[in-house]
């Protein structure tokens, strides 16, 4: 399987719960390396731009309001099959439907406050990584 990169966000609910380290441990235990990271408090414009694909959806305003409600932790994960591997670690969008042992099953409260974001395909991963890390310095190890 090819080495890939994916964009991960630990959302305001999980940052507020003080579980950044526990979530990072899951990435590392799964063989994913954190090759870039930054804590941010997104502006409304930054959150709207990031979720532009969902602009017409009924939940868009709630999603943006939630994403700007507190700081987020944004990281690039690298590893074999990183995009799907991260989605598997995250679990289903709705934590009530997420498999036991997934990040959302263990840390998320609702479909809105669902702990993490992860890119869903190679094309979106490239766009999302460039959105938050326009001049990505990668430290190989
Ligand atoms: P994400 O983009 O955050 O990784 O989540 P996802 O791929 O699992 O879900 P997506 O369909 O991309 O939706 C983005 C976020 O919008 C919120 N959402 N709410 N109320 C609803 O029906 C609904 N559907 C989606 C969720 O917070 C989801 O993470
Ligand atoms: Mg998505």
């Amino acid at each position: 399987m090819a080495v890939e990169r994916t964009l991960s966000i630990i959302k305001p609910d999980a940052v507020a719960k003080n579980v950044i380290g526990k979530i990072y441990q899951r990435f590392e235990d799964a063989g994913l390396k954190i090759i870039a990271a930054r804590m941010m408090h997104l502006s409304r414009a930054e959150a709207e731009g990031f979720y532009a694909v969902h602009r017409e959806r009924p939940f868009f305003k709630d999603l943006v309001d939630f994403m700007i409600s507190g700081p987020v932790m944004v990281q690039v994960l690298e590893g074999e099959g990183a995009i799907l591997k991260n989605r598997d670690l995250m679990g289903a969008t709705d934590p009530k439907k997420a498999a036991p042992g997934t990040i959302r099953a263990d840390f998320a409260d609702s479909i809105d406050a669902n702990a993490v974001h992860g890119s869903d395909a190679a094309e979106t991963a490239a766009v999302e990584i460039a959105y938050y890390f326009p001049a990505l310095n990668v430290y190989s190890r």
Side-chain angles (χ1 to χ4, degrees):
M1 200 181 292
V3 173
E4 296 174 338
R5 291 176 184 171
T6 191
L7 193 279
S8 157
I9 302 177
I10 300 178
K11 296 185 179 183
D13 58 321
V15 172
K17 281 184 184 167
N18 206 25
V19 293
I20 294 170
K22 288 189 172 133
I23 293 172
Y24 270 24
Q25 190 69 57
R26 292 180 184 215
F27 296 152
E28 293 183 346
D29 288 348
L32 296 173
K33 291 179 181 176
I34 297 152
I35 61 163
R38 60 190 294 211
M39 183 171 270
M40 306 175 69
H41 195 145
L42 300 175
S43 67
R44 182 169 294 278
E46 284 171 331
E48 286 177 349
F50 181 69
Y51 280 118
V53 290
H54 294 312
R55 210 171 26 230
E56 307 301 328
R57 308 281 283 277
F59 57 79
F60 182 69
K61 171 133 191 334
D62 287 345
L63 174 60
V64 169
D65 284 345
F66 170 65
M67 289 300 286
I68 67 174
S69 66
V72 296
M73 193 73 201
V74 188
Q75 44 281 323
V76 179
L77 307 178
E78 183 181 80
E80 291 204 358
I83 296 166
L84 199 57
K85 196 177 270 185
N86 182 43
R87 298 286 298 189
D88 286 345
L89 292 174
M90 288 163 56
T93 309
D94 182 351
K96 290 199 285 290
K97 297 178 185 154
T102 60
I103 293 168
R104 282 167 166 163
D106 290 346
F107 300 120
D109 297 323
S110 67
I111 194 165
D112 300 304
N114 65 358
V116 280
H117 163 84
S119 308
D120 56 16
E123 299 72 27
T124 47
V127 171
E128 291 177 3
I129 290 169
Y131 192 82
Y132 290 111
F133 299 94
L136 181 59
N137 291 312
V138 173
Y139 303 100
S140 298
R141 60 195 195 274

